[in-house]
Amino acid sequence: MTDIQPPYGDLVLPCLDEADALPWVLARIPEGWRPLVVDNGSTDGSADIARAHGATVVHEPRRGFGAACHAGLEAATAELVAFCDCDASLDPGELPRVAAPVRDGAADLVLARRRPVTRAAWPLHARAGNRALSRMVLGRTGVRLHDLGPMRVARRRPLLDLALTDRRSGYPLQTVVRAADAGWRIQETEVPYLPRTGVSKVTGTWRGTFQAVRDMRAVLR
């Protein structure tokens, strides 16, 4: 039995110049989930588009993926909080299935393992970086994961209690590491991974991937 009643949760969508992707993403939000679009300094009108499609907009002037994620977490009020990239690479319609183990008390953190629908959806350099990080997570925590899960779900209060400090691309990894250190039950579930709309700000190039891996190594240290 679950103690969570509708609305089920808040969905944090970190956003930096995602005007082209937002209409599709917001149209796919399941009933009972409130979209929190965290604008991280967009110059393409993303915030206005988000409001026009019914989202709550949170402004985070400090640049960084982790800064945007944490601002969304602090703005959330629902018991369940989900995070999802805002580039149309992930379908928010998968949220009820991803969130179910947390909602039902079977897990404390669920990560959505990406299953690319085409080769173009997940370039070679990004896959290589992800494999390297998965090995580092196993060595540091003993938790065997295939993906850090750009879509993930947990309960709000325990997430805040992790006292996450990374404000760059290491934020998802720090979430996993501190959750593992706290004894959380961590699960993975597969979701389709689509070609993103626009250019990735983190892993769109080998250089960006290297920077992300370097940030995450710092978290593991």
Side-chain angles (χ1 to χ4, degrees), residues 51-139:
R51 288 191 194 92
H53 285 79
T56 298
V57 175
V58 177
H59 291 281
E60 175 47 77
R62 295 171 297 173
R63 283 291 181 92
F65 181 76
C69 286
H70 205 70
L73 174 59
E74 290 179 330
T77 56
E79 183 169 354
L80 287 188
V81 178
F83 299 83
C84 182
D85 285 353
C86 198
D87 56 12
S89 62
L90 296 164
D91 183 356
E94 297 286 336
L95 262 179
R97 181 174 60 82
V98 176
V102 179
R103 182 196 65 208
D104 296 338
D108 302 306
L109 173 65
V110 176
L111 306 173
R113 178 185 180 184
R114 290 168 284 187
R115 176 172 49 79
V117 299
T118 68
R119 287 180 178 270
W122 205 358
L124 177 61
H125 56 268
R127 297 187 197 208
N130 192 68
R131 284 195 297 271
L133 290 169
S134 295
R135 288 193 295 270
M136 287 190 283
V137 169
L138 177 62

Side-chain angles (χ1 to χ4, degrees), residues 16-18 87 196-205:
L16 176 58
D17 292 332
E18 300 289 4
D87 56 12
R196 64 157 290 143
T197 298
V199 178
S200 172
K201 285 81 173 176
V202 179
T203 58
T205 64

Side-chain angles (χ1 to χ4, degrees), residues 5 19 26 41 43 48 68 82 106 110 115 154 162 187 189 221:
Q5 302 298 323
L26 294 173
T43 59
D48 292 337
V110 176
R115 176 172 49 79
L162 292 179
Q187 291 186 15
T189 187
R221 288 196 298 268

Side-chain angles (χ1 to χ4, degrees), residues 118-185:
T118 68
R119 287 180 178 270
W122 205 358
L124 177 61
H125 56 268
R127 297 187 197 208
N130 192 68
R131 284 195 297 271
L133 290 169
S134 295
R135 288 193 295 270
M136 287 190 283
V137 169
L138 177 62
R140 166 63 176 78
T141 68
V143 176
R144 187 177 298 277
L145 298 173
H146 298 87
D147 196 357
L148 287 178
M151 181 186 287
R152 53 201 185 278
V153 182
R155 292 178 186 253
R156 175 180 170 274
R157 186 67 257 170
L159 274 172
L160 288 169
D161 289 343
L162 292 179
L164 301 172
T165 57
D166 191 279
R167 296 296 182 263
R168 292 166 57 106
S169 53
Y171 189 88
L173 176 60
Q174 190 178 52
T175 301
V176 171
V177 169
R178 292 201 175 179
D181 288 349
W184 286 24
R185 297 163 298 166

